């Protein structure tokens, strides 16, 4: 959840209650300080750990640029956990890096490959980071979710050259 920005927006504008998860204690402290009066609880933990929610209890789950730090097994476990906590018909919003047509990703994969295919060691923080293909996203989600829409960034190029990382936003709904 980082500093809680998305949860705070949803609580303030739509009256939603929320649960934020982040591995960083500092991020959770910032989120707490920004949302004291709102119906949001926070947990310091990895998103690879079980989500502290009851089965079929959530209407919306957001993965905003986090699961690319997980390995393949952890990503599958996370998707299963999201499927467990979402209500039938609940929504999953997923934003991550997209490998397709991303020159930076291809360079990083070549220069600093990690053990897992499609992953590299991030040059600044020294941890493995996965970059998804659109086909891989379908493989990961299609058993649990119906993908309504995928929106790919197009501002990753400037004058025909790579300018910044390409990303994709996925709007998916739990079957049922």
């Amino acid at each position: 959840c980082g500093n809680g920005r998305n949860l705070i927006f949803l609580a303030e504008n739509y009256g939603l209650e929320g649960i934020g998860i982040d591995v960083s204690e500092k991020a959770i402290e910032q989120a707490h300080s920004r949302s004291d009066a709102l119906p949001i609880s926070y947990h310091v933990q990895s998103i690879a750990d079980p989500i502290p929610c009851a089965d079929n209890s959530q209407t919306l789950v957001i993965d905003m640029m986090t699961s690319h730090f997980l390995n393949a097994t952890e990503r599958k476990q996370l998707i299963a956990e999201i499927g467990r906590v979402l209500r039938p018909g609940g929504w999953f919003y997923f934003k991550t890096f997209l490998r397709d047509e991303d020159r930076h990703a291809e360079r990083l994969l070549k220069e600093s490959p990690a053990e897992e295919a499609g992953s590299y060691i991030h040059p600044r923080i020294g941890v493995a980071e996965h970059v998804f293909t659109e086909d891989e996203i379908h493989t990961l989600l299609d058993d649990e979710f119906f993908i309504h829409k995928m929106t790919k960034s197009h501002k990753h190029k400037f004058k025909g050259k790579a300018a910044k990382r390409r990303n994709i936003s996925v709007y998916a709904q739990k079957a049922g």
Side-chain angles (χ1 to χ4, degrees):
C1 66
N3 65 10
R5 176 182 66 203
N6 294 314
L7 283 169
I8 292 166
F9 174 84
L10 292 169
E12 288 177 339
N13 291 284
Y14 299 100
L16 298 181
E17 297 178 18
I19 297 169
I21 298 171
D22 201 290
V23 71
S24 167
E25 287 184 35
K26 187 170 186 147
I28 294 296
E29 287 173 11
Q30 290 174 354
H32 266 297
S33 70
R34 296 178 67 209
S35 62
D36 277 342
L38 297 172
I40 303 172
S41 63
Y42 297 98
H43 301 270
V44 178
Q45 70 176 63
S46 169
I47 59 166
D49 295 336
I51 298 172
C53 298
D55 294 358
N56 302 309
S57 64
Q58 303 301 302
T59 303
L60 171 67
V61 173
I62 300 172
D63 175 353
M64 181 69 87
M65 302 298 290
T66 57
S67 60
H68 58 265
F69 287 114
L70 302 178
N71 64 40
T73 300
E74 291 169 329
R75 288 190 302 272
K76 288 177 187 173
Q77 290 170 342
L78 174 63
I79 296 304
E81 271 295 284
I82 291 169
R84 178 187 68 79
V85 303
L86 270 177
R87 293 180 175 138
W91 287 88
F92 176 41
Y93 174 78
F94 175 48
K95 183 176 182 180
T96 192
F97 291 123
L98 179 63
R99 180 177 177 175
D100 304 332
E101 300 178 38
D102 185 332
R103 293 180 187 166
H104 286 305
E106 294 303 328
R107 179 182 50 79
L108 290 165
L109 290 165
K110 183 178 179 183
E111 292 176 0
S112 303
E115 290 182 27
E116 180 186 351
S119 297
Y120 54 83
I121 302 300
H122 192 285
R124 281 193 234 153
I125 58 178
V127 298
E129 186 171 79
H130 190 73
V131 60
F132 293 85
T133 65
E134 188 174 343
D135 288 342
E136 185 179 7
I137 291 169
H138 276 286
T139 299
L140 185 64
L141 298 183
D142 281 349
D143 288 344
E144 296 268 349
F145 300 94
F146 174 77
I147 297 174
H148 285 269
K149 182 178 179 180
M150 296 175 107
T151 305
K152 303 173 210 172
S153 66
H154 294 284
K155 294 183 180 180
H156 61 282
K157 292 182 182 178
F158 181 72
K159 295 185 180 181
K161 296 183 179 181
K164 64 180 184 175
R165 298 299 310 279
R166 189 163 198 208
N167 63 66
I168 188 166
S169 295
V170 180
Y171 303 84
Q173 191 172 22
K174 181 179 172 181

